[in-house]
Amino acid sequence: MAALTLMGGMAVDAATKPTAKQLTFFEKRIRPLLVAKCYECHSTKSKKVKGGLLLDSAEGWRAGGDSGEAIVPGKPEESLVIEAVRYKNRDMEMPPKGKLKDHEIVALEAWVKMGAPDPRMGSAKGIKKQKIDIEEGRKFWSFVKPVKGTPPVVENDDWAKDGISRFILASLEEKGLNPVGETDRVTLIRRVSFDLIGLPPTPAEVDAFVHDKSPNAYEKLVDRLLASKHFGERWGRHWLDVARYAESTGKTRNYPYPHAWKYRDWVIEAINKDKPYDRFVMEQVAGDLLAGRTADQRNSQKIATGMFAMGSYDLNERNTRQFKMDVVDEQIDTMGRAFLGLTLGCARCHNHKFDPVPTTNYYALAGIFVSSEAKFGYGSRQGGGNRMSNALLVSLEKAGEDNNGATTAKNVPVQQSLSKKEYDRRMTMLNAQLKQAQRRLKRLSNSAAKRSKNKRRNKNATNGQTEQLKKTIAGLQRQVRSLRKQSPQGGTRGSGNVAMGLAEGNRVADVKVHIRGEISNLGRLVKRGFVEVITDRNKSTHATGKGSGRLDLARWLVDEGNPLTARVAVNRVWHHLFGRGLVSTVDNFGATGSRPTHPELLDYLAVEFMEDGWSMKGLIKRITMSKAYRMSSAHNTKSYEVDPDNLLLWRMNRKRLEVEAIRDAMMFVAGSLNMKPAVASPVARYGNGEIRRNAQIDSVTTGSSHRSVYVPILRGYEPEMFSIFDFAEPSEVKGRRDITTVAPQALFMMNSEFAMTQAKRAAEDMLTRSELKNLTRVKHAYRNALGREPSKAELDRAVRYVFNYIQSKGESKAAVTEAWASLYHALFASAEFRYVY
């Protein structure tokens, strides 16, 4: 077979710096693939470089080989490397030992399509192996323990009354800038309402706040919103982005997770109760290993570990060891990004190329998760692969009463959830047997009265049959009740005795380094432990307790000496309230991430957060009460010239609402939003079959009238509106969503049945209010939709529009409704409806 002889053109600027997202993709998906499949023949360490092509550096593939352009950035169809791995040309099939897996080819295609971003430095003549210096690495800003500094002295003392605003103002004054003024109350209540509960304020709530002249009017508003049950729904959704929450496996065989909703509800409840963040972290990592006073508490902690069971897994992977290590890799990557803001998964195949995380640290963590068992399952093992079994579910407990009346916990055996088909079959059979026995009992009772001969003998015989039938009926009724507990309906909130989660494995084991990430190429054994560079020098980096080490890991994550956990949490809160984090790369505090714009403020808040008992509500109140948060979003020419990106925060950023807030606001204004929490999830009714696009799936994902946090998220089948408005990819840790402005968004708001339906319902509700006339109807519509009164020009234009619309349609009742629905539709479609200022 001919060798792959290629030469690369300089199709991209060598100085182009890859983005953080591109670097992550390269390190996670491309570099390991090149190392494992290409370096043997196409690296500076190859005995003989085949075809003159080097693939172990960016300069290598750009410098080229002998047969044409190897990679044309942005154009996979013109790249010979892609042609070779596709096995389309028999003279150019690479790797020669066997075709890559489909998902590996897809990854290479995606990499080339995005411009072949490649951070590897070095010449085509060779690259020196990098050694990791842990002590030097500890000097990096995010690996240094945060210190609470004193808020700086500022010139404008009257403006900066709180510590947060002093840090902001000091940075502005250093550049000769001033903050813009405070926003008006109408704008402020809309801003803080969306930020805290994800819903617009009602006109009555706006009026009450605007006319409240008490000095603590704003604080009362913030406290009311923090105490609302809707706070947990809003901020719970933020965390579900980080936890990559979904109700199906995704990937090659997409099977449902019928118990995932229990984790969703746990998150919402934990945030509403202001569970301390350190406890919030610990329960998700090792809740099953923490003590609990009651069965409810222990069950809640087990459900919390569902975070590490709901990843996206390739169920077609037949090699059990490979599947296990892929699950472990996904868990480590999730843990690193979610709690530490570190891309730990990059150290699976080699030492981390940018952060001081050696591959031995990765396998120290891997030992902890290998010694644990992810109980995520549903479905069957028919058809091969690693499809998950019913037995892979965490057993919950049920409450009982002891002799003193105190609540006690009793372990109950796991009752496997059944597929809908099997459940229906069994229930039909039992009901048929029950009805048959009941009919026999009735016939026996009727015939007994008619018998006259041998009355005594017949009576005894009849009594015996009657008692036997009654026992049979009672037994069948017990079976029906027992079967109902296994219903794929999922039960009501908090019901059921199984959940997704983590449990201790059958065997505790340290793990050997997998050289290049290969399960068949093992190096030295590594003791279970943690990331050395962020561990206090005076403390052990090893798990010291019994079992898997997850409880040690949980404690390490929230240890006061850990420099990252509090910083990452505080930064995410700042991001959601200001539209940009103090560190803009909220999931990456490593070398390839951004540097903080206000490092002293970040540390000040991180330490205060810990000192305040890790209270999320306390942190959010502290930020929202600051003068910085209450600034206007107005433009200032001088400040814009100095700081066009508003990094110094001379004004409040305008923020595009997330899709959930847009959807919920439309339904809220229309009066069609069900404000009660959803019970369980319709995914539980889907059964255990592979998910495929059909009417049932569409109804599952779009048929809910509840708040958007309760809308089922099936990987690969997200509702259209969610996809259009930048919903978080549910297979990735996503602390910051993409924000795009594209034509399909405007087209959806203009043409979707959903938008038109909500506009019509809003109009119908308004027209039932007889006290409203045309002018006041316009004002009512503006206040409902946008939270403010229309200007005189807007009022005049809207009245003319509605009048002309009705005239053109014939002035019928239907025409009147349609006209006002059209006005509401226009307001819903406006940019102002989708933004907070």
Side-chain angles (χ1 to χ4, degrees), residues 418-456:
L418 301 172
S419 69
K420 187 174 185 303
K421 182 178 179 181
E422 178 63 14
Y423 174 82
D424 289 344
R425 185 188 71 78
R426 293 191 191 182
M427 187 61 78
T428 299
M429 180 181 68
L430 284 174
N431 281 329
Q433 291 173 350
L434 181 59
K435 288 179 181 179
Q436 184 181 26
Q438 289 169 334
R439 285 196 296 268
R440 287 179 61 196
L441 179 61
K442 185 177 180 180
R443 286 198 302 268
L444 191 63
S445 300
N446 291 337
S447 64
K450 298 178 181 180
R451 300 186 181 183
S452 58
K453 293 181 180 181
N454 301 319
K455 289 184 178 180
R456 185 165 187 163

Short mmCIF file of all heavy atoms in Angstrom, two decimals, residues 418-456:
data_model
loop_
_atom_site.label_atom_id
_atom_site.label_comp_id
_atom_site.label_asym_id
_atom_site.label_seq_id
_atom_site.Cartn_x
_atom_site.Cartn_y
_atom_site.Cartn_z
N LEU A 418 -39.77 -1.14 34.90
CA LEU A 418 -40.06 -1.95 33.73
C LEU A 418 -40.27 -1.07 32.51
O LEU A 418 -40.60 0.11 32.63
CB LEU A 418 -41.34 -2.77 33.97
CG LEU A 418 -41.31 -3.73 35.17
CD1 LEU A 418 -42.68 -4.31 35.38
CD2 LEU A 418 -40.28 -4.82 34.95
N SER A 419 -40.10 -1.64 31.34
CA SER A 419 -40.48 -0.94 30.13
C SER A 419 -42.00 -0.79 30.11
O SER A 419 -42.73 -1.55 30.77
CB SER A 419 -40.03 -1.72 28.89
OG SER A 419 -40.80 -2.91 28.78
N LYS A 420 -42.46 0.18 29.35
CA LYS A 420 -43.91 0.39 29.27
C LYS A 420 -44.61 -0.85 28.71
O LYS A 420 -45.68 -1.25 29.18
CB LYS A 420 -44.22 1.61 28.40
CG LYS A 420 -45.69 2.01 28.40
CD LYS A 420 -45.89 3.30 27.62
CE LYS A 420 -47.33 3.77 27.73
NZ LYS A 420 -48.31 2.81 27.29
N LYS A 421 -43.98 -1.48 27.73
CA LYS A 421 -44.58 -2.65 27.10
C LYS A 421 -44.72 -3.80 28.11
O LYS A 421 -45.78 -4.43 28.23
CB LYS A 421 -43.73 -3.10 25.91
CG LYS A 421 -44.29 -4.29 25.15
CD LYS A 421 -43.40 -4.62 23.95
CE LYS A 421 -43.94 -5.82 23.19
NZ LYS A 421 -43.08 -6.16 22.03
N GLU A 422 -43.64 -4.05 28.87
CA GLU A 422 -43.67 -5.13 29.85
C GLU A 422 -44.61 -4.80 31.00
O GLU A 422 -45.34 -5.67 31.50
CB GLU A 422 -42.25 -5.39 30.37
CG GLU A 422 -42.15 -6.48 31.44
CD GLU A 422 -42.58 -7.86 30.95
OE1 GLU A 422 -42.70 -8.05 29.71
OE2 GLU A 422 -42.81 -8.74 31.79
N TYR A 423 -44.59 -3.54 31.43
CA TYR A 423 -45.50 -3.12 32.51
C TYR A 423 -46.96 -3.32 32.09
O TYR A 423 -47.77 -3.86 32.85
CB TYR A 423 -45.23 -1.66 32.85
CG TYR A 423 -46.21 -1.06 33.86
CD1 TYR A 423 -46.04 -1.25 35.22
CD2 TYR A 423 -47.29 -0.30 33.42
CE1 TYR A 423 -46.93 -0.71 36.13
CE2 TYR A 423 -48.19 0.24 34.32
CZ TYR A 423 -48.01 0.03 35.68
OH TYR A 423 -48.90 0.57 36.57
N ASP A 424 -47.29 -2.87 30.88
CA ASP A 424 -48.67 -3.01 30.39
C ASP A 424 -49.07 -4.47 30.28
O ASP A 424 -50.21 -4.86 30.61
CB ASP A 424 -48.82 -2.32 29.03
CG ASP A 424 -48.75 -0.81 29.14
OD1 ASP A 424 -48.90 -0.29 30.26
OD2 ASP A 424 -48.55 -0.15 28.11
N ARG A 425 -48.13 -5.31 29.82
CA ARG A 425 -48.44 -6.75 29.67
C ARG A 425 -48.76 -7.38 31.02
O ARG A 425 -49.76 -8.08 31.17
CB ARG A 425 -47.25 -7.47 29.02
CG ARG A 425 -47.52 -8.94 28.70
CD ARG A 425 -46.26 -9.65 28.25
NE ARG A 425 -45.31 -9.83 29.34
CZ ARG A 425 -45.42 -10.79 30.28
NH1 ARG A 425 -46.42 -11.63 30.24
NH2 ARG A 425 -44.51 -10.89 31.22
N ARG A 426 -47.91 -7.10 31.99
CA ARG A 426 -48.13 -7.69 33.32
C ARG A 426 -49.39 -7.15 33.98
O ARG A 426 -50.14 -7.90 34.61
CB ARG A 426 -46.92 -7.41 34.21
CG ARG A 426 -45.64 -8.11 33.77
CD ARG A 426 -44.58 -7.99 34.84
NE ARG A 426 -43.27 -8.42 34.37
CZ ARG A 426 -42.18 -8.44 35.13
NH1 ARG A 426 -42.25 -8.05 36.39
NH2 ARG A 426 -41.03 -8.84 34.63
N MET A 427 -49.62 -5.84 33.85
CA MET A 427 -50.79 -5.25 34.48
C MET A 427 -52.07 -5.78 33.85
O MET A 427 -53.06 -6.06 34.54
CB MET A 427 -50.74 -3.73 34.38
CG MET A 427 -51.84 -3.00 35.15
SD MET A 427 -51.80 -3.35 36.94
CE MET A 427 -50.44 -2.28 37.43
N THR A 428 -52.08 -5.94 32.52
CA THR A 428 -53.25 -6.50 31.83
C THR A 428 -53.54 -7.92 32.31
O THR A 428 -54.69 -8.30 32.56
CB THR A 428 -53.02 -6.48 30.31
OG1 THR A 428 -52.83 -5.13 29.89
CG2 THR A 428 -54.22 -7.07 29.57
N MET A 429 -52.48 -8.72 32.44
CA MET A 429 -52.64 -10.11 32.87
C MET A 429 -53.18 -10.17 34.30
O MET A 429 -54.13 -10.91 34.59
CB MET A 429 -51.29 -10.82 32.80
CG MET A 429 -51.35 -12.30 33.23
SD MET A 429 -49.72 -13.08 33.16
CE MET A 429 -48.89 -12.20 34.49
N LEU A 430 -52.62 -9.36 35.20
CA LEU A 430 -53.08 -9.38 36.59
C LEU A 430 -54.52 -8.89 36.72
O LEU A 430 -55.32 -9.46 37.47
CB LEU A 430 -52.16 -8.50 37.46
CG LEU A 430 -50.80 -9.11 37.82
CD1 LEU A 430 -49.94 -8.08 38.55
CD2 LEU A 430 -50.97 -10.35 38.69
N ASN A 431 -54.85 -7.83 35.99
CA ASN A 431 -56.23 -7.31 36.04
C ASN A 431 -57.22 -8.34 35.52
O ASN A 431 -58.34 -8.46 36.05
CB ASN A 431 -56.33 -6.00 35.26
CG ASN A 431 -55.79 -4.82 36.05
OD1 ASN A 431 -55.86 -4.80 37.27
ND2 ASN A 431 -55.25 -3.83 35.35
N ALA A 432 -56.83 -9.06 34.46
CA ALA A 432 -57.72 -10.09 33.90
C ALA A 432 -57.94 -11.21 34.93
O ALA A 432 -59.07 -11.69 35.13
CB ALA A 432 -57.13 -10.65 32.62
N GLN A 433 -56.86 -11.63 35.59
CA GLN A 433 -56.99 -12.68 36.61
C GLN A 433 -57.83 -12.20 37.79
O GLN A 433 -58.64 -12.94 38.35
CB GLN A 433 -55.59 -13.08 37.10
CG GLN A 433 -54.77 -13.82 36.05
CD GLN A 433 -53.34 -14.06 36.51
OE1 GLN A 433 -52.91 -13.52 37.53
NE2 GLN A 433 -52.62 -14.88 35.77
N LEU A 434 -57.66 -10.91 38.16
CA LEU A 434 -58.41 -10.35 39.28
C LEU A 434 -59.90 -10.29 38.96
O LEU A 434 -60.75 -10.69 39.78
CB LEU A 434 -57.86 -8.96 39.61
CG LEU A 434 -58.51 -8.23 40.79
CD1 LEU A 434 -58.36 -9.03 42.08
CD2 LEU A 434 -57.89 -6.83 40.95
N LYS A 435 -60.23 -9.82 37.76
CA LYS A 435 -61.64 -9.73 37.37
C LYS A 435 -62.28 -11.13 37.29
O LYS A 435 -63.43 -11.32 37.67
CB LYS A 435 -61.76 -9.02 36.02
CG LYS A 435 -61.48 -7.52 36.11
CD LYS A 435 -61.59 -6.86 34.74
CE LYS A 435 -61.29 -5.37 34.85
NZ LYS A 435 -61.36 -4.71 33.52
N GLN A 436 -61.51 -12.08 36.77
CA GLN A 436 -62.02 -13.45 36.67
C GLN A 436 -62.33 -14.01 38.05
O GLN A 436 -63.39 -14.63 38.28
CB GLN A 436 -61.02 -14.34 35.95
CG GLN A 436 -61.53 -15.76 35.72
CD GLN A 436 -60.49 -16.62 35.01
OE1 GLN A 436 -59.30 -16.35 35.09
NE2 GLN A 436 -60.95 -17.64 34.31
N ALA A 437 -61.44 -13.79 39.00
CA ALA A 437 -61.66 -14.29 40.37
C ALA A 437 -62.84 -13.59 41.02
O ALA A 437 -63.64 -14.22 41.75
CB ALA A 437 -60.40 -14.08 41.20
N GLN A 438 -62.98 -12.29 40.77
CA GLN A 438 -64.10 -11.55 41.35
C GLN A 438 -65.43 -12.01 40.76
O GLN A 438 -66.44 -12.12 41.47
CB GLN A 438 -63.90 -10.04 41.13
CG GLN A 438 -62.77 -9.45 41.98
CD GLN A 438 -62.41 -8.04 41.58
OE1 GLN A 438 -62.61 -7.62 40.41
NE2 GLN A 438 -61.86 -7.28 42.51
N ARG A 439 -65.45 -12.33 39.45
CA ARG A 439 -66.69 -12.84 38.83
C ARG A 439 -67.05 -14.21 39.41
O ARG A 439 -68.23 -14.50 39.67
CB ARG A 439 -66.52 -12.92 37.31
CG ARG A 439 -66.58 -11.56 36.61
CD ARG A 439 -66.79 -11.74 35.11
NE ARG A 439 -65.68 -12.44 34.48
CZ ARG A 439 -64.63 -11.83 33.94
NH1 ARG A 439 -64.58 -10.49 33.95
NH2 ARG A 439 -63.67 -12.52 33.39
N ARG A 440 -66.06 -15.06 39.61
CA ARG A 440 -66.31 -16.39 40.18
C ARG A 440 -66.87 -16.27 41.60
O ARG A 440 -67.79 -16.99 41.99
CB ARG A 440 -65.01 -17.20 40.20
CG ARG A 440 -64.57 -17.69 38.83
CD ARG A 440 -63.27 -18.45 38.93
NE ARG A 440 -63.43 -19.64 39.80
CZ ARG A 440 -62.41 -20.31 40.31
NH1 ARG A 440 -61.16 -19.92 40.05
NH2 ARG A 440 -62.63 -21.38 41.05
N LEU A 441 -66.34 -15.33 42.37
CA LEU A 441 -66.84 -15.13 43.73
C LEU A 441 -68.29 -14.65 43.72
O LEU A 441 -69.12 -15.13 44.52
CB LEU A 441 -65.96 -14.11 44.46
CG LEU A 441 -66.36 -13.78 45.90
CD1 LEU A 441 -66.30 -15.03 46.78
CD2 LEU A 441 -65.46 -12.69 46.47
N LYS A 442 -68.61 -13.79 42.78
CA LYS A 442 -69.98 -13.28 42.68
C LYS A 442 -70.93 -14.40 42.28
O LYS A 442 -72.04 -14.55 42.84
CB LYS A 442 -70.04 -12.13 41.68
CG LYS A 442 -71.41 -11.47 41.60
CD LYS A 442 -71.37 -10.29 40.64
CE LYS A 442 -72.74 -9.62 40.56
NZ LYS A 442 -72.73 -8.44 39.63
N ARG A 443 -70.54 -15.23 41.28
CA ARG A 443 -71.40 -16.34 40.84
C ARG A 443 -71.61 -17.34 41.97
O ARG A 443 -72.70 -17.87 42.17
CB ARG A 443 -70.77 -17.04 39.63
CG ARG A 443 -70.89 -16.26 38.33
CD ARG A 443 -70.65 -17.17 37.13
NE ARG A 443 -69.35 -17.81 37.18
CZ ARG A 443 -68.25 -17.31 36.62
NH1 ARG A 443 -68.32 -16.14 35.95
NH2 ARG A 443 -67.10 -17.95 36.70
N LEU A 444 -70.53 -17.60 42.72
CA LEU A 444 -70.62 -18.54 43.82
C LEU A 444 -71.58 -18.05 44.90
O LEU A 444 -72.39 -18.82 45.44
CB LEU A 444 -69.22 -18.76 44.42
CG LEU A 444 -69.07 -19.91 45.41
CD1 LEU A 444 -69.35 -21.25 44.73
CD2 LEU A 444 -67.66 -19.92 45.99
N SER A 445 -71.54 -16.78 45.18
CA SER A 445 -72.44 -16.21 46.19
C SER A 445 -73.89 -16.28 45.74
O SER A 445 -74.80 -16.55 46.53
CB SER A 445 -72.04 -14.76 46.48
OG SER A 445 -70.72 -14.70 46.97
N ASN A 446 -74.15 -16.01 44.44
CA ASN A 446 -75.53 -16.03 43.93
C ASN A 446 -76.11 -17.44 43.90
O ASN A 446 -77.30 -17.66 44.18
CB ASN A 446 -75.58 -15.43 42.53
CG ASN A 446 -75.31 -13.93 42.54
OD1 ASN A 446 -75.49 -13.27 43.57
ND2 ASN A 446 -74.87 -13.40 41.40
N SER A 447 -75.27 -18.42 43.55
CA SER A 447 -75.77 -19.80 43.42
C SER A 447 -76.00 -20.46 44.77
O SER A 447 -76.81 -21.39 44.91
CB SER A 447 -74.81 -20.63 42.58
OG SER A 447 -73.56 -20.73 43.25
N ALA A 448 -75.30 -20.00 45.80
CA ALA A 448 -75.41 -20.63 47.12
C ALA A 448 -76.82 -20.52 47.69
O ALA A 448 -77.31 -21.45 48.36
CB ALA A 448 -74.40 -19.98 48.08
N ALA A 449 -77.47 -19.42 47.41
CA ALA A 449 -78.82 -19.19 47.97
C ALA A 449 -79.86 -20.09 47.31
O ALA A 449 -80.95 -20.31 47.86
CB ALA A 449 -79.20 -17.73 47.80
N LYS A 450 -79.60 -20.60 46.11
CA LYS A 450 -80.60 -21.37 45.37
C LYS A 450 -80.57 -22.86 45.71
O LYS A 450 -81.45 -23.62 45.30
CB LYS A 450 -80.38 -21.19 43.86
CG LYS A 450 -80.53 -19.74 43.41
CD LYS A 450 -80.24 -19.62 41.92
CE LYS A 450 -80.36 -18.17 41.46
NZ LYS A 450 -80.07 -18.03 40.01
N ARG A 451 -79.55 -23.28 46.37
CA ARG A 451 -79.43 -24.72 46.64
C ARG A 451 -80.32 -25.11 47.83
O ARG A 451 -80.37 -24.40 48.85
CB ARG A 451 -77.98 -25.07 46.92
CG ARG A 451 -77.09 -24.73 45.72
CD ARG A 451 -75.67 -25.20 45.91
NE ARG A 451 -74.87 -24.83 44.77
CZ ARG A 451 -73.60 -25.16 44.62
NH1 ARG A 451 -73.02 -25.87 45.55
NH2 ARG A 451 -72.95 -24.80 43.55
N SER A 452 -81.00 -26.28 47.72
CA SER A 452 -81.92 -26.72 48.80
C SER A 452 -81.52 -28.07 49.40
O SER A 452 -81.74 -28.31 50.58
CB SER A 452 -83.36 -26.79 48.27
OG SER A 452 -83.42 -27.67 47.18
N LYS A 453 -80.97 -28.97 48.57
CA LYS A 453 -80.62 -30.31 49.07
C LYS A 453 -79.20 -30.27 49.65
O LYS A 453 -78.33 -29.56 49.15
CB LYS A 453 -80.68 -31.34 47.94
CG LYS A 453 -82.08 -31.58 47.43
CD LYS A 453 -82.07 -32.64 46.34
CE LYS A 453 -83.47 -32.88 45.81
NZ LYS A 453 -83.48 -33.92 44.76
N ASN A 454 -79.03 -31.15 50.67
CA ASN A 454 -77.73 -31.24 51.32
C ASN A 454 -77.19 -29.85 51.70
O ASN A 454 -76.06 -29.48 51.40
CB ASN A 454 -76.70 -31.96 50.43
CG ASN A 454 -77.17 -33.36 50.09
OD1 ASN A 454 -77.73 -34.08 50.95
ND2 ASN A 454 -76.98 -33.76 48.84
N LYS A 455 -78.10 -29.07 52.30
CA LYS A 455 -77.77 -27.67 52.54
C LYS A 455 -76.50 -27.53 53.37
O LYS A 455 -75.65 -26.68 53.10
CB LYS A 455 -78.93 -26.98 53.24
CG LYS A 455 -80.12 -26.77 52.33
CD LYS A 455 -81.20 -26.00 53.05
CE LYS A 455 -82.38 -25.75 52.10
NZ LYS A 455 -83.44 -24.99 52.77
N ARG A 456 -76.39 -28.36 54.39
CA ARG A 456 -75.22 -28.20 55.26
C ARG A 456 -73.93 -28.49 54.52
O ARG A 456 -72.96 -27.74 54.61
CB ARG A 456 -75.37 -29.14 56.44
CG ARG A 456 -74.28 -28.97 57.46
CD ARG A 456 -74.63 -29.63 58.77
NE ARG A 456 -73.67 -29.31 59.78
CZ ARG A 456 -73.88 -29.48 61.07
NH1 ARG A 456 -75.06 -29.91 61.48
NH2 ARG A 456 -72.94 -29.22 61.95
#
